[in-house]
Amino acid sequence: HTYPGFYPEDVAVGADGAWYVSGQGFQTNIYGRSVLIRTNTLGSEVWRRTDTTYGNSFQLVPTRDSCIVVLGWRSEAETPARAKLVKYDPMGVQQWMKEPYSADFDEVPCYLHAGFEDPDGTFIVAGQVRDTTYGQAGMLFKLDSEGNTIWQRFYAHYPSFLINDDQIFNDVKRTSDGGLILTGETNGGEHPYAQLWLLKLDIAGCLVPG
């Protein structure tokens, strides 16, 4: 099957067996908008949801209540990018949308790229930001079941406010001791090109416990 009109970013199977695919639209009427498609198990499109603002959907997080959470970003014209997550029920009805962080100027990255749901219904999500508060930083959030922020962490291996010194979290997983492990890339200092970045954090997302 093909799904015309968008670039795909992720695919996931919901708790009820539904298939989902997400990405960004590129046709004239949906150009630069986030797109979410639900299909049946034969791949035929059941419904499609397209954002009204600019943005992208990078990862899908199936939830235990058979809903789907979409991670990415959004921005209205000439406004700062905002990290975004949206929860949809199996019928495609939006349950909530949260924006846990916003960059402080436009045309810079600020997005959620990876995450998961814990057994208690809370979420761990990670991504990247550029702004004048944290400079270039990887972002990490713990959110409650409604997407509200419980805590937030910002990390940079090479702290910098220079444009090309990106600090990027690409994935996050829970470890057997209850902590977190993150992978991504770090740029800066004597290493102007991407270096592999690996962080092991405690259960509260701290590099130094406590």
Side-chain angles (χ1 to χ4, degrees), residues 126-146:
Q128 177 200 2
V129 68
R130 292 180 188 166
D131 72 2
T132 59
T133 302
Y134 296 101
Q136 317 285 359
M139 301 191 296
L140 178 67
F141 299 88
K142 181 171 183 176
L143 312 170
D144 67 17
S145 61
E146 297 298 315

Side-chain angles (χ1 to χ4, degrees), residues 84-202:
K84 176 199 74 171
L85 63 164
V86 187
K87 184 177 183 180
Y88 294 93
D89 72 10
M91 302 303 294
V93 177
Q94 182 176 307
Q95 302 298 294
W96 47 256
M97 180 178 71
K98 300 294 181 179
E99 298 172 343
Y101 197 77
S102 173
D104 52 13
F105 55 102
D106 60 0
E107 297 183 0
V108 298
C110 181
Y111 60 78
L112 300 174
H113 195 272
F116 59 86
E117 182 190 32
D118 267 328
D120 63 358
T122 59
F123 296 93
I124 296 291
V125 294
Q128 177 200 2
V129 68
R130 292 180 188 166
D131 72 2
T132 59
T133 302
Y134 296 101
Q136 317 285 359
M139 301 191 296
L140 178 67
F141 299 88
K142 181 171 183 176
L143 312 170
D144 67 17
S145 61
E146 297 298 315
N148 301 304
T149 300
I150 297 173
W151 51 251
Q152 61 185 26
R153 309 281 183 254
F154 296 83
Y155 283 106
H157 187 68
Y158 299 109
S160 173
F161 285 84
L162 300 177
I163 290 296
N164 294 322
D165 291 346
D166 291 308
Q167 313 292 306
I168 302 169
F169 288 153
N170 283 326
D171 202 5
V172 58
K173 294 287 191 294
R174 182 71 70 189
T175 53
S176 59
D177 63 358
L180 297 164
I181 193 161
L182 295 98
T183 56
E185 68 176 72
T186 178
N187 301 266
E190 299 176 358
H191 304 283
Y193 302 104
Q195 308 294 302
L196 173 64
W197 196 18
L198 181 67
L199 287 86
K200 172 65 169 69
L201 308 177
D202 71 6

